[in-house]
Amino acid sequence: MDFRSDNVAGIAPAILAAIAAANAGSASSYGEDDWTKRLQSKMNELFEREVAVFPLATGTAANALALAALAPPWGLVCCHRLSHIEEDECGAPEFFTGGAKLAPMDGAHGKIGAGDLARFLDGYGFGVQHHVQPAAVSISQASECGTVYSVAETRAIAEVCRRHRLALHMDGARFANALVHQGASPAEATWKAGVDVLSFGATKNGAMAAEAVVFFDPARATDFLYRRKRAGHLFSKMRFLSAQLVAYLEDGLWLRLAANANAMAERLARGLASLPGTELAHPVEANEVFVRLPRPVRERLAGAGARFHPWVSAGADAIRLVVPFDADEARIDRFLAVAAAAQAPTP
Amino acid sequence: MDFRSDNVAGIAPAILAAIAAANAGSASSYGEDDWTKRLQSKMNELFEREVAVFPLATGTAANALALAALAPPWGLVCCHRLSHIEEDECGAPEFFTGGAKLAPMDGAHGKIGAGDLARFLDGYGFGVQHHVQPAAVSISQASECGTVYSVAETRAIAEVCRRHRLALHMDGARFANALVHQGASPAEATWKAGVDVLSFGATKNGAMAAEAVVFFDPARATDFLYRRKRAGHLFSKMRFLSAQLVAYLEDGLWLRLAANANAMAERLARGLASLPGTELAHPVEANEVFVRLPRPVRERLAGAGARFHPWVSAGADAIRLVVPFDADEARIDRFLAVAAAAQAPTP
Amino acid sequence: MDFRSDNVAGIAPAILAAIAAANAGSASSYGEDDWTKRLQSKMNELFEREVAVFPLATGTAANALALAALAPPWGLVCCHRLSHIEEDECGAPEFFTGGAKLAPMDGAHGKIGAGDLARFLDGYGFGVQHHVQPAAVSISQASECGTVYSVAETRAIAEVCRRHRLALHMDGARFANALVHQGASPAEATWKAGVDVLSFGATKNGAMAAEAVVFFDPARATDFLYRRKRAGHLFSKMRFLSAQLVAYLEDGLWLRLAANANAMAERLARGLASLPGTELAHPVEANEVFVRLPRPVRERLAGAGARFHPWVSAGADAIRLVVPFDADEARIDRFLAVAAAAQAPTP
Amino acid sequence: MDFRSDNVAGIAPAILAAIAAANAGSASSYGEDDWTKRLQSKMNELFEREVAVFPLATGTAANALALAALAPPWGLVCCHRLSHIEEDECGAPEFFTGGAKLAPMDGAHGKIGAGDLARFLDGYGFGVQHHVQPAAVSISQASECGTVYSVAETRAIAEVCRRHRLALHMDGARFANALVHQGASPAEATWKAGVDVLSFGATKNGAMAAEAVVFFDPARATDFLYRRKRAGHLFSKMRFLSAQLVAYLEDGLWLRLAANANAMAERLARGLASLPGTELAHPVEANEVFVRLPRPVRERLAGAGARFHPWVSAGADAIRLVVPFDADEARIDRFLAVAAAAQAPTP
């Protein structure tokens, strides 16, 4: 009953098998191998256009490198106040961009709104040398509150971006979970809605350590290989990164894993919501449940071995439950049973 | 017969097995797992003192992060002109340090000499605000020419460093190969000889992607966790990095693999040296052979499917042959047979 | 009637004369001259202790270099949302620190409160590798709203800083104006109240281009000379910077100039406040007046040649009036007369 | 007899007068003033085309900001081993570019040769992700050895740059001295010969602190205003920078001052060369004399109050004599007389 994060889970069996399979014979290093070529083809197919794909091993690297490609050192990147790039990357975007600033914005349930963004940018001092210059917007899909931007919401944000010539970045650490919720195609959810660059996450959803930065316009990616290398993110045995991603995409594995996590999160949320004294802090649209629970329930759960983090930004008595790709009904129901027992009146 | 680099090889079976073994159950993320704890213990034991260990996935990350911990933005890092940090990391040291300079030095067979270093530093403008300030020396073990600093050579360099209050970094991408050649203990080869920080490499010698920065004085490592995180090099599922390194060290696997590579390189070198018209460009002390070969021999080898890189810094007709951890006598002898046949007078 | 900024004014005659006086004979460059030595003595005397003084030419350089000496690249600097470092320096603090973040805070009339600061820091994730680490607080004296931190307010902030081991920086672009308002000694207003580093401004108050970073603990300044040089802020003919500052301090010139500006600002504020339909947006404690004026008044003033900037952060109908060091009653009264005439009912 | 550097001299009277003249009334800040507009016109006229001009106060700022506009963080800038950017700016180019590398090259008398440059670039790994990418060449005019690139030499270097798509920067800290030697027009010496960006120096030749970055293609300068501001190099009272430069250019003052310095240097060189036991280390083409002198002569000169720096890169017994803009024959002849007396056989 470990719900601390999706990254407490291990590797999906098919992905581990792909690593083993890739371990046959010698292969060209630094991305000149066949697995990386296959990954490129698969991504082109997936997104229905030619894209530029760069395998990486961490989400922070993907986000920070992507933003560095979009914002100059005097750039400003708009994002949600709770976003990973603002809160949880120890200043990686600032490091990689050479000192760009983030403009954290408010917005319900972890999402920024196109209207708020427009108001901010319409009043901004573009071209004034005293001010950093807005260069990009970054949205998290799914958000840090477990919610999902609809395609329409993404498109509305993209339109504001276009109007002010900003690039739109999507932090897709939980992109698969969001996509499953949306029911949209990868292309519809991204470039067709105006996204310029995607941090395509796989680690949280079953990979060992594999992400990719996907540029929908390869022309934007010209210098990316130098940025990646000088950041120490070019893997010599890259086939093992690419193999993970290939297996992840093969036969829809990524969507099946995400669909399971989402379904288990929904089951968990439904069960908790039915208990007296509990309240969901955010809609459950991906694989995260933010719920306010009475202290006795939290304590009983902890006592029974359940693991989770308190989450004060969702309320003083709130916890975050992240459901991993390999959760099953038994695990969820065990957790719910403990919670229900804690709620029952002691006779 | 792929001798292009050690990183065209795959994963040693025991290391792959460790990744699979680590994939059991959930585990705390970001280094709070048991594998990482075991790695810390193993490293303490290996180096006969308490060290601070940070698992990473690439050698460039290890080197650049280590140097950033040792040199301020206005620092100068002395290194060999052919060193990886100077030649092959696309400016990663400059990026991570915030703009420190490297001072490339000459030196026979890829090694810098304590005397040259002393001459350079004795004449340097320490404390003069117009000049970057010498902060560290970095030596590659084994060097880019496949040679190895003796313990005495390392100690002599360290003494110069101490005199001028510089830190000594060792790029140990091929540390195992060097150690096998030296016959010294890990402690003797490093901190007992005056090394402050080691980039401990495993990827080239059988890991999938695993390195570690080892601080022999943990007090120097205080801020390293922030540097690592903001560089995107903190792995969420870190157990899979640590498991590779644990398996690498277990039962002396790392030394066995390196001993094999070194032995095969020596066999290769001996065989080539016995052919007419060939000349070794550097002593063969680790797993690399730099050899000048007549063009017909090079062409015959290439025609027979052998793969290797030309290496102009070792001579116009030189090639580099890197022997991977899993090379065997058959592969070496096949290569030698082709070379010998090419040398034979055509009747 | 130019009230756009204090920097539309020129050079105070005594300071210009000092530049001319310094232009006698040759002098050692880069700060080894006599004027710079005199400046050092004067500053020691002024602050009643040995300080480390670094002359500079712009306030942005002073602030950004000072902060870089206090915060590492993964540092967080708390400041007011309206502060110059956050709003008007195009990311200079981020550039000089190598990517540190600013944490903009709210607070009435441009000042942050010790209580808010304590709440923020008490709840902060110190030591957590995912988060940038609070390293410094920067307060503006006088603030961007023309208000002044009392010595007690400064001390309260400093106490919070000490508790969490943060350094306290004071942006003293209008330090003289603040000091005149406080009636405190330079020492009382700074290090005796817990300030670690001061950006000592002179440009806005009559210098041509002269500021100084003052470290109250010279040990913090060890590396500052390298930072200054590599930022291009070491002047070869530094005597001309130092001469400005020496003249500025001589015979209390700086306080006389500031006292005049403050008095004229107060006269202006009093006059405006007496008119119907006007409202001061902030208390007038230094040389700036933020006032909401009916549109006809603003238009009449502009029509009469008065120059000022609209200031939306103080209200939709607000303007900022900055009173330069050389303002006199005639200029103020002329402005007031125009404003009064605009208010008068048209017969 | 102070020959330590050109920056031990003060301000030329006409330039000081211009500062005083600019101190009339209020003026728009940050470059919106009339003096800056006049400077822009004058520069357009001087260079016979529309240029983009940015006044600055130090040569290091000019060089580092110019290079940052030309080279990305993974860029390589070719320069002479003795150049100011490599040797005397404490890593400013690395800081401003975000970590670009300099490639120091050898070359007689402080100048790099087009042939050497071509050889270096022809063999470079352009497009290889492991290597920083050549982006610019920087030449010093006059050089650090007091020599001058002929227009033909500049053009030859520019042609190599064009072939490899590198930008050509000229560090013109002593541009006037070089121009006087060449007898070329400013346009012929720069953009007509293929220079893209010029650091136009005035401080060494009579200004208080005034330089300018001149972009011959204004399109390259788009982002320069943000770079300048975030580096703390945007002066609020910019009229006083621009006024210096306007006066410097007015009526050919800059060329007259440089012509005097050059002539006095030549007189000094001729006089010294005629003494037994002396040897000029470099041709004297601008205002610097590098000369090897017997120790007794050096000691006698020092004893007589002459000031100069030893200059080991020109020989163990060499000194550098820099002749300021305001030197006169008396000063030169006094120095020569002391030197001659020291040479004379003691009876």
Side-chain angles (χ1 to χ4, degrees):
Chain A
M1 295 198 295
D2 194 339
F3 296 110
R4 288 176 295 170
S5 176
D6 7 33
N7 53 39
V8 300
I11 313 171
I15 294 174
L16 184 56
I19 293 174
N23 194 31
S26 76
S28 292
S29 47
Y30 297 117
E32 297 298 308
D33 62 280
D34 291 342
W35 290 89
T36 304
K37 291 195 184 79
R38 281 174 63 190
L39 174 63
Q40 176 69 55
S41 303
K42 271 195 171 307
M43 284 286 194
N44 289 351
E45 197 183 321
L46 190 73
F47 286 107
E48 305 170 31
R49 67 180 292 167
E50 199 183 329
V51 298
V53 181
F54 297 88
L56 293 162
T58 73
T60 295
N63 285 339
L65 282 165
L67 292 175
L70 301 179
W74 53 87
L76 184 68
V77 177
C78 299
C79 61
H80 195 277
R81 185 172 305 286
L82 298 173
S83 64
H84 205 260
I85 59 172
E86 167 69 6
E87 284 285 306
D88 294 299
E89 300 188 346
C90 199
E94 289 82 358
F95 176 42
F96 282 76
T97 56
K101 282 176 87 83
L102 303 190
M105 306 183 66
D106 292 313
H109 302 309
K111 299 193 291 184
I112 60 177
D116 288 342
L117 182 65
R119 264 182 297 282
F120 176 77
L121 293 174
D122 289 347
Y124 200 87
F126 282 92
V128 177
Q129 64 187 329
H130 305 283
H131 306 325
V132 290
Q133 296 294 303
V137 171
S138 178
I139 57 176
S140 303
Q141 186 73 311
S143 82
E144 298 298 314
C145 296
T147 55
V148 173
Y149 288 89
S150 69
V151 171
E153 286 171 333
T154 302
R155 190 178 300 120
I157 288 170
E159 272 159 25
V160 178
C161 289
R162 285 306 158 270
R163 211 155 65 226
H164 291 286
R165 310 177 64 104
L166 273 65
L168 181 54
H169 168 253
M170 180 176 277
D171 173 358
R174 294 187 181 94
F175 182 64
N177 304 89
L179 208 61
V180 162
H181 175 78
Q182 287 180 318
S185 76
E188 285 163 359
T190 57
W191 66 271
K192 287 187 175 172
V195 174
D196 294 300
V197 182
L198 171 68
S199 295
F200 180 90
T203 310
K204 286 186 192 297
N205 191 33
M208 173 183 144
E211 314 275 316
V213 171
V214 180
F215 287 85
F216 296 110
D217 175 2
R220 280 194 188 268
T222 319
D223 295 327
F224 199 85
L225 75 176
Y226 305 114
R227 293 191 185 276
R228 178 176 62 177
K229 172 66 189 184
R230 74 196 250 95
H233 286 291
L234 177 65
F235 276 54
S236 56
K237 299 180 178 176
M238 202 192 287
R239 54 173 148 165
F240 298 112
L241 279 190
S242 299
Q244 293 179 62
L245 291 164
V246 167
Y248 183 67
L249 295 176
E250 202 106 297
D251 298 329
L253 174 65
W254 64 308
L255 298 175
R256 283 202 311 281
L257 297 175
N260 176 64
N262 284 13
M264 291 303 105
E266 199 188 328
R267 183 182 189 92
L268 180 60
R270 219 180 319 114
L272 289 171
S274 71
L275 300 177
T278 66
E279 193 182 6
L280 294 176
H282 302 299
V284 176
E285 300 175 351
N287 67 324
E288 296 185 281
V289 177
F290 296 83
V291 61
R292 300 188 195 106
L293 288 179
R295 180 201 287 246
V297 180
R298 300 199 308 267
E299 290 176 346
R300 181 75 79 88
L301 284 164
R307 308 188 72 172
F308 45 81
H309 290 304
W311 214 256
V312 293
S313 68
D317 53 352
I319 63 171
R320 184 185 75 163
L321 300 166
V322 190
V323 180
F325 71 90
D326 59 357
D328 55 18
E329 295 190 358
R331 205 192 301 177
I332 301 299
D333 293 349
R334 193 146 30 98
F335 185 93
L336 288 173
V338 175
Q343 292 285 42
T346 38
Chain B
M1 295 197 297
D2 193 340
F3 296 109
R4 286 175 295 168
S5 177
D6 8 32
N7 53 39
V8 300
I11 314 171
I15 293 174
L16 184 57
I19 292 174
N23 194 31
S26 77
S28 293
S29 47
Y30 298 116
E32 297 299 309
D33 63 279
D34 291 343
W35 288 90
T36 304
K37 291 194 184 79
R38 280 175 63 191
L39 173 64
Q40 176 68 54
S41 303
K42 272 196 172 305
M43 284 287 194
N44 289 350
E45 196 184 321
L46 189 74
F47 286 107
E48 306 170 32
R49 66 179 293 166
E50 198 183 329
V51 297
V53 182
F54 297 87
L56 292 162
T58 73
T60 295
N63 285 340
L65 282 165
L67 292 175
L70 301 178
W74 51 90
L76 185 68
V77 177
C78 300
C79 62
H80 194 277
R81 185 172 305 286
L82 298 174
S83 63
H84 206 260
I85 59 171
E86 167 69 5
E87 283 286 305
D88 295 300
E89 300 189 347
C90 198
E94 288 82 358
F95 176 41
F96 281 76
T97 57
K101 281 175 88 83
L102 303 190
M105 306 182 66
D106 291 314
H109 301 309
K111 298 193 291 181
I112 61 177
D116 288 341
L117 182 66
R119 265 181 296 282
F120 176 77
L121 292 174
D122 289 347
Y124 200 87
F126 281 93
V128 177
Q129 63 187 329
H130 304 284
H131 306 324
V132 290
Q133 295 295 303
V137 171
S138 179
I139 57 176
S140 303
Q141 187 73 311
S143 82
E144 299 297 314
C145 296
T147 55
V148 173
Y149 288 90
S150 71
V151 171
E153 287 170 332
T154 303
R155 190 179 299 119
I157 288 171
E159 272 159 24
V160 179
C161 289
R162 286 304 158 271
R163 210 154 68 225
H164 292 286
R165 310 177 64 103
L166 271 65
L168 180 54
H169 168 252
M170 179 176 278
D171 174 358
R174 293 188 181 93
F175 181 63
N177 304 88
L179 208 62
V180 162
H181 175 80
Q182 288 180 316
S185 76
E188 286 163 0
T190 56
W191 66 272
K192 286 186 176 172
V195 174
D196 293 300
V197 182
L198 171 68
S199 295
F200 179 91
T203 309
K204 285 185 193 298
N205 191 33
M208 173 183 143
E211 313 276 315
V213 171
V214 180
F215 287 87
F216 296 111
D217 175 2
R220 277 192 190 270
T222 319
D223 295 327
F224 198 84
L225 73 176
Y226 305 114
R227 291 191 186 277
R228 179 176 60 178
K229 172 67 189 184
R230 74 195 252 92
H233 286 291
L234 176 65
F235 276 54
S236 56
K237 300 180 177 175
M238 201 192 289
R239 53 172 148 166
F240 298 112
L241 278 190
S242 299
Q244 293 178 62
L245 291 164
V246 166
Y248 183 67
L249 296 176
E250 202 105 296
D251 297 328
L253 173 65
W254 65 308
L255 298 176
R256 284 202 311 280
L257 296 175
N260 176 65
N262 285 13
M264 291 304 104
E266 199 188 326
R267 183 183 189 92
L268 181 60
R270 217 177 321 113
L272 289 171
S274 72
L275 301 176
T278 66
E279 192 182 5
L280 294 176
H282 302 298
V284 176
E285 300 176 350
N287 66 324
E288 296 185 281
V289 178
F290 296 82
V291 62
R292 300 188 195 106
L293 288 179
R295 179 200 285 246
V297 181
R298 299 200 308 269
E299 288 175 348
R300 181 76 78 92
L301 284 163
R307 309 187 72 172
F308 45 79
H309 290 304
W311 214 255
V312 293
S313 68
D317 53 353
I319 63 170
R320 183 184 76 163
L321 300 166
V322 190
V323 181
F325 70 91
D326 60 357
D328 56 18
E329 296 191 359
R331 206 191 301 178
I332 302 299
D333 293 349
R334 193 145 30 98
F335 185 93
L336 289 172
V338 175
Q343 292 283 42
T346 37
Chain C
M1 296 195 295
D2 194 340
F3 296 111
R4 287 176 296 169
S5 177
D6 6 34
N7 51 41
V8 300
I11 312 172
I15 294 174
L16 184 56
I19 293 174
N23 194 30
S26 77
S28 293
S29 47
Y30 298 117
E32 298 298 310
D33 62 280
D34 291 342
W35 289 90
T36 304
K37 290 194 185 79
R38 280 174 64 190
L39 174 64
Q40 175 69 55
S41 303
K42 273 198 171 303
M43 284 287 194
N44 290 350
E45 196 184 321
L46 189 75
F47 286 108
E48 306 170 31
R49 66 179 294 165
E50 198 184 328
V51 299
V53 182
F54 297 88
L56 293 162
T58 73
T60 295
N63 285 339
L65 282 165
L67 292 175
L70 301 178
W74 53 88
L76 185 68
V77 177
C78 299
C79 62
H80 195 278
R81 185 173 305 285
L82 298 174
S83 62
H84 205 260
I85 58 172
E86 167 69 6
E87 284 286 306
D88 295 300
E89 300 187 348
C90 199
E94 289 81 359
F95 176 43
F96 282 76
T97 57
K101 282 174 87 84
L102 303 189
M105 306 182 66
D106 292 313
H109 300 309
K111 299 193 291 182
I112 60 177
D116 288 342
L117 181 65
R119 264 182 296 283
F120 176 77
L121 292 174
D122 290 347
Y124 200 88
F126 281 93
V128 177
Q129 64 187 327
H130 305 283
H131 307 324
V132 291
Q133 296 294 303
V137 171
S138 179
I139 58 176
S140 303
Q141 186 74 310
S143 82
E144 298 299 313
C145 296
T147 55
V148 174
Y149 287 90
S150 70
V151 171
E153 286 171 332
T154 302
R155 190 179 299 119
I157 287 170
E159 272 159 24
V160 179
C161 289
R162 287 302 159 272
R163 211 155 67 226
H164 291 286
R165 312 177 62 103
L166 272 66
L168 181 54
H169 167 253
M170 180 176 278
D171 173 358
R174 295 189 180 93
F175 182 63
N177 304 88
L179 208 61
V180 163
H181 175 80
Q182 287 181 319
S185 76
E188 285 163 359
T190 57
W191 66 272
K192 287 186 177 174
V195 174
D196 294 299
V197 183
L198 171 69
S199 295
F200 180 91
T203 310
K204 287 184 192 297
N205 191 34
M208 174 183 144
E211 314 274 317
V213 171
V214 180
F215 287 86
F216 296 110
D217 175 3
R220 279 192 189 269
T222 319
D223 295 326
F224 199 84
L225 74 176
Y226 305 114
R227 291 190 186 276
R228 179 177 59 179
K229 173 66 188 184
R230 71 196 253 95
H233 286 291
L234 177 65
F235 276 53
S236 58
K237 300 180 178 176
M238 202 193 287
R239 52 173 149 164
F240 297 112
L241 278 191
S242 299
Q244 293 179 61
L245 291 164
V246 166
Y248 184 66
L249 295 176
E250 202 107 294
D251 297 329
L253 174 65
W254 64 308
L255 298 176
R256 284 201 312 280
L257 296 175
N260 176 64
N262 285 13
M264 291 304 105
E266 200 187 326
R267 183 182 188 90
L268 180 61
R270 219 179 320 113
L272 288 171
S274 71
L275 300 176
T278 66
E279 192 182 6
L280 295 175
H282 302 299
V284 175
E285 300 176 351
N287 66 325
E288 295 184 282
V289 177
F290 297 83
V291 61
R292 300 188 195 106
L293 288 178
R295 180 201 286 245
V297 181
R298 300 199 309 268
E299 289 175 347
R300 180 77 79 91
L301 284 163
R307 308 187 73 172
F308 46 79
H309 290 303
W311 215 255
V312 293
S313 68
D317 53 354
I319 63 170
R320 185 184 75 163
L321 300 166
V322 190
V323 180
F325 70 91
D326 60 357
D328 55 19
E329 295 191 359
R331 203 192 304 177
I332 302 298
D333 294 348
R334 193 147 28 101
F335 186 93
L336 289 172
V338 175
Q343 292 283 40
T346 37
Chain D
M1 295 195 297
D2 193 340
F3 296 109
R4 287 177 295 170
S5 178
D6 7 33
N7 52 40
V8 301
I11 313 171
I15 293 174
L16 184 56
I19 293 174
N23 195 30
S26 77
S28 293
S29 47
Y30 299 117
E32 298 298 309
D33 63 280
D34 290 342
W35 289 89
T36 304
K37 290 194 185 79
R38 280 175 62 190
L39 173 63
Q40 175 69 55
S41 302
K42 272 195 171 307
M43 284 287 194
N44 290 349
E45 196 184 321
L46 190 73
F47 286 108
E48 305 169 32
R49 64 179 295 167
E50 198 183 330
V51 298
V53 182
F54 297 88
L56 293 162
T58 74
T60 295
N63 285 339
L65 282 166
L67 291 175
L70 299 179
W74 52 91
L76 185 68
V77 177
C78 300
C79 61
H80 195 276
R81 186 173 304 287
L82 298 174
S83 63
H84 206 260
I85 59 171
E86 168 69 6
E87 283 286 306
D88 295 300
E89 299 188 348
C90 198
E94 289 82 358
F95 175 41
F96 281 76
T97 57
K101 283 176 88 84
L102 303 190
M105 306 181 67
D106 292 314
H109 301 309
K111 297 193 290 182
I112 61 177
D116 288 342
L117 181 66
R119 266 182 295 284
F120 176 76
L121 293 174
D122 289 346
Y124 200 87
F126 282 92
V128 177
Q129 63 187 330
H130 304 284
H131 306 324
V132 290
Q133 296 295 302
V137 170
S138 178
I139 58 176
S140 302
Q141 186 73 310
S143 82
E144 298 297 315
C145 296
T147 55
V148 173
Y149 288 89
S150 71
V151 171
E153 286 170 333
T154 303
R155 190 178 299 119
I157 288 170
E159 271 159 24
V160 179
C161 290
R162 286 304 158 273
R163 210 157 65 228
H164 292 286
R165 311 177 62 103
L166 272 65
L168 180 54
H169 168 252
M170 179 176 279
D171 174 358
R174 293 187 181 94
F175 182 63
N177 304 88
L179 208 60
V180 162
H181 175 79
Q182 288 180 319
S185 76
E188 285 163 0
T190 56
W191 67 270
K192 286 186 175 172
V195 174
D196 294 300
V197 182
L198 171 69
S199 295
F200 179 90
T203 309
K204 286 185 193 297
N205 191 34
M208 172 183 146
E211 313 275 317
V213 172
V214 180
F215 287 86
F216 297 110
D217 175 2
R220 279 192 189 268
T222 318
D223 295 326
F224 199 83
L225 75 176
Y226 305 113
R227 293 191 186 276
R228 178 176 61 177
K229 171 66 189 184
R230 73 195 252 95
H233 285 292
L234 176 65
F235 276 53
S236 57
K237 300 180 178 176
M238 202 193 286
R239 52 172 148 165
F240 298 111
L241 279 190
S242 299
Q244 293 179 63
L245 291 165
V246 166
Y248 183 67
L249 296 177
E250 203 106 297
D251 297 328
L253 174 65
W254 65 307
L255 298 175
R256 284 202 311 279
L257 297 175
N260 177 64
N262 285 13
M264 291 305 104
E266 200 187 326
R267 184 182 188 91
L268 180 61
R270 220 178 320 114
L272 289 171
S274 72
L275 300 176
T278 65
E279 190 182 7
L280 293 176
H282 303 299
V284 176
E285 300 176 350
N287 66 326
E288 297 184 280
V289 178
F290 297 82
V291 61
R292 301 191 194 104
L293 288 179
R295 178 201 289 249
V297 182
R298 299 200 308 268
E299 289 175 347
R300 180 76 78 92
L301 284 164
R307 309 187 72 173
F308 45 80
H309 290 303
W311 214 256
V312 294
S313 68
D317 53 353
I319 63 170
R320 184 185 75 162
L321 300 167
V322 190
V323 181
F325 69 93
D326 59 358
D328 54 20
E329 296 191 358
R331 204 192 303 177
I332 302 298
D333 293 348
R334 192 146 30 99
F335 185 93
L336 289 173
V338 175
Q343 292 284 42
T346 38

